[in-house]
Amino acid sequence: MKIKNLLKSTCLSVVFVLGACSSDDDSTSPIDQVVAPEKYTFERKGESSVSFSGQTTRIAMAEEIVSELKDRTNTEVVLNAMFSHVEGANDFSDTDLNASNKSVRSKVAASKDYFSANTTDAIAIRNQFDGWIKNQVDEVFPNWEITAKAGVAGVIQEAGGGSKRYVDAKGLELNQAFAKSLIGALMTDQALNNYLSTAVLDEADNVVNNDKDVVEEGKNYTTMEHKWDEAYGYLYGTSADKTNPNATIGADDNFLNKYIGRVEADSDFKGIAKDIFDAFKLGRAAIVAKQYDVRDKQAAIIKEKISQVIAIRAVYYLQQGKKALEAPVVDYASAFHDLSEGFGFVYSLQFTRKSDSNTPYFTKSEVQTYIDQLMEGANGFWDLSPNTLQSISEKIAEKFSFSVAQAGS
């Protein structure tokens, strides 16, 4: 916690937050008055004030659901139960997950800024995820050993004895569509459009209570601190070292964390992982210091950078699919795998967030147009033109500060 300066001539510093000495003519900007810790470590009365266990739980649930989408012995009832988990139900292999009152489906398309007044779209999006589960069970599982072709679900194997890919009649890997779309509809939407929203951070008495260091009952954090931490948890909730997650960024889950790591590994975008982590640390320190303008500037950075990660990976996979389709001998399994991942990242674009407004970079309608182009006709990917992939890639890149060539390499 920050100890307020009671004497103009005295400046007291505390762990993590350094308050600048103030005077009547002090011109130091608020951002210079807040110093982020080296790691994401914050304490009150000698104990950690950081908590995001709910996010860790939902990421673990999502991991198992996606894994079970490739077990053809599962029924729609079983998979739906995992997705809409009820406390105490024996849905997961982990007893702690079964005991949890959390679920994945309840937080899909559930942010305050985007969906509290837009239940129609929220329901439609959740139903889309339900539909992917249903189609996997009804269409793909029965054809598990049938060779896929245009208009027929089944299996196709990558060249040289590579991985087998199980696709629907349009060539879409439904498990990949589900997983990559979840990055937008759950992790990104909750982090950017819910927990980093001023409507959530400053809700009710949050500012007054944070100013007075009033903690939640039985907890060691203020509500505002906790909301910020929950956003952090959707990126780093399963990190090996949750206080220093960039040490293993990209290796800790198969969702947002993984693809921050993938973008960081691209020389064109080197440093993005540090930018995101540093903004989280400084924003949290600003909350402790009661410097809310600084907090909001860091939230804006996070929104911009995470949105960029989604867009970069969308273009990357569309371009990889394009290259595969243009090859002299087309490896459809590899092409469709990349395109299925691209499909999910394109779907996730509707959950991105402009740093200076309450709107996404792409509306649900715009995203649906791209999805319709990818899935056009009876055969979808089987008849997909490389020109279509190039056109969509260019439209995505136009809204961000990168080129198709940078993201697609």
Side-chain angles (χ1 to χ4, degrees):
M1 60 179 288
K2 180 182 178 183
I3 302 175
K4 290 186 177 179
N5 182 10
L6 300 178
L7 299 173
K8 291 183 179 180
S9 61
T10 305
C11 184
L12 298 178
S13 63
V14 297
V15 179
F16 310 130
V17 180
L18 196 62
C21 295
S22 61
S23 65
D24 291 340
D25 60 353
D26 189 2
S27 61
T28 304
S29 67
I31 198 166
D32 293 329
Q33 298 179 39
V34 183
V35 176
E38 182 180 349
K39 297 183 179 182
Y40 198 86
T41 308
F42 299 89
E43 294 183 349
R44 176 176 282 104
K45 296 180 180 179
E47 296 183 0
S48 176
S49 62
V50 176
S51 176
F52 46 81
S53 60
Q55 287 61 47
T56 301
T57 294
R58 284 195 175 89
I59 292 171
M61 287 179 170
E63 293 276 18
E64 190 163 344
I65 294 167
V66 171
S67 176
E68 291 301 308
L69 281 170
K70 290 193 68 177
D71 182 350
R72 62 172 171 161
T73 66
N74 282 320
T75 65
E76 184 180 354
V77 171
V78 166
L79 293 169
N80 280 340
M82 295 178 73
F83 189 38
S84 304
H85 176 69
V86 176
E87 182 179 1
N90 190 31
D91 296 324
F92 299 96
S93 59
D94 187 322
T95 55
D96 289 339
L97 297 185
N98 291 331
S100 175
N101 63 356
K102 311 297 183 186
S103 82
V104 174
R105 191 181 191 278
S106 66
K107 292 297 183 180
V108 165
S111 65
K112 188 176 186 69
D113 281 356
Y114 280 9
F115 299 104
S116 62
N118 187 11
T119 56
T120 299
D121 280 353
I123 291 169
I125 290 166
R126 291 172 201 159
N127 288 344
Q128 177 67 81
F129 281 85
D130 294 339
W132 287 326
I133 289 174
K134 178 177 176 58
N135 290 346
Q136 183 78 346
V137 173
D138 291 350
E139 184 180 350
V140 178
F141 284 174
N143 284 20
W144 205 251
E145 297 179 354
I146 296 174
T147 299
K149 60 183 180 180
V152 178
V155 59
I156 42 178
Q157 187 166 17
E158 292 178 351
S163 298
K164 291 181 178 180
R165 306 298 181 185
Y166 300 90
V167 301
D168 70 6
K170 291 191 172 187
L172 179 65
E173 282 185 278
L174 294 166
N175 58 304
Q176 289 296 333
F178 186 101
K180 273 49 181 185
S181 297
L182 207 59
I183 292 173
L186 175 63
M187 288 77 182
T188 300
D189 185 51
Q190 281 293 296
L192 307 192
N193 309 317
N194 196 64
Y195 293 120
L196 294 183
S197 162
T198 54
V200 172
L201 291 169
D202 295 346
E203 189 172 17
D205 296 329
N206 288 359
V207 174
V208 172
N209 288 340
N210 194 71
D211 284 343
K212 296 179 179 179
D213 288 312
V214 176
V215 298
E216 293 187 5
E217 185 176 356
K219 305 297 182 181
N220 197 38
Y221 48 72
T222 69
T223 297
M224 189 186 296
E225 291 170 344
H226 185 47
K227 298 305 181 185
W228 188 273
D229 292 341
E230 288 184 293
Y232 180 89
Y234 273 115
L235 281 69
Y236 310 115
T238 59
S239 296
D241 181 353
K242 296 175 178 58
T243 69
N244 187 31
N246 278 352
T248 56
I249 191 70
D252 296 310
D253 70 43
N254 287 303
F255 300 104
L256 197 47
N257 182 290
K258 176 178 180 177
Y259 292 99
I260 293 172
R262 291 289 178 88
V263 173
E264 173 66 20
D266 185 332
S267 60
D268 288 311
F269 306 104
K270 185 73 174 174
I272 194 170
K274 183 178 186 300
D275 291 341
I276 294 168
F277 181 52
D278 285 352
F280 265 112
K281 289 189 298 176
L282 185 55
R284 181 59 155 80
I287 291 173
V288 177
K290 287 73 173 170
Q291 297 286 354
Y292 305 122
D293 287 347
V294 178
R295 177 202 71 181
D296 292 344
K297 288 178 181 178
Q298 304 317 301
I301 291 170
I302 296 166
K303 290 169 185 176
E304 177 187 356
K305 298 296 182 179
I306 294 300
S307 297
Q308 190 176 35
V309 168
I310 300 296
I312 290 167
R313 294 312 287 184
V315 172
Y316 172 81
Y317 283 117
L318 295 183
Q319 288 296 300
Q320 293 303 113
K322 175 175 175 284
K323 292 173 186 175
L325 292 178
E326 290 174 331
V329 178
V330 178
D331 181 347
Y332 285 104
S334 293
F336 291 177
H337 180 63
D338 285 328
L339 291 173
S340 296
E341 294 192 89
F343 176 104
F345 277 103
V346 169
Y347 192 86
S348 290
L349 289 170
Q350 64 192 293
F351 307 101
T352 56
R353 177 69 171 265
K354 293 181 180 178
S355 61
D356 59 352
S357 74
N358 289 341
T359 57
Y361 281 88
F362 296 89
T363 65
K364 185 176 186 295
S365 177
E366 288 174 314
V367 167
Q368 190 58 53
T369 296
Y370 299 151
I371 294 297
D372 290 343
Q373 290 173 350
L374 293 172
M375 296 282 99
E376 189 174 4
N379 298 328
F381 289 165
W382 294 96
D383 294 338
L384 187 58
S385 165
N387 290 336
T388 298
L389 295 171
Q390 184 66 24
S391 174
I392 297 173
S393 296
E394 290 174 356
K395 289 175 182 176
I396 295 171
E398 278 175 11
K399 297 208 179 176
F400 294 87
S401 57
F402 64 82
S403 67
V404 171
Q406 286 176 309
S409 60

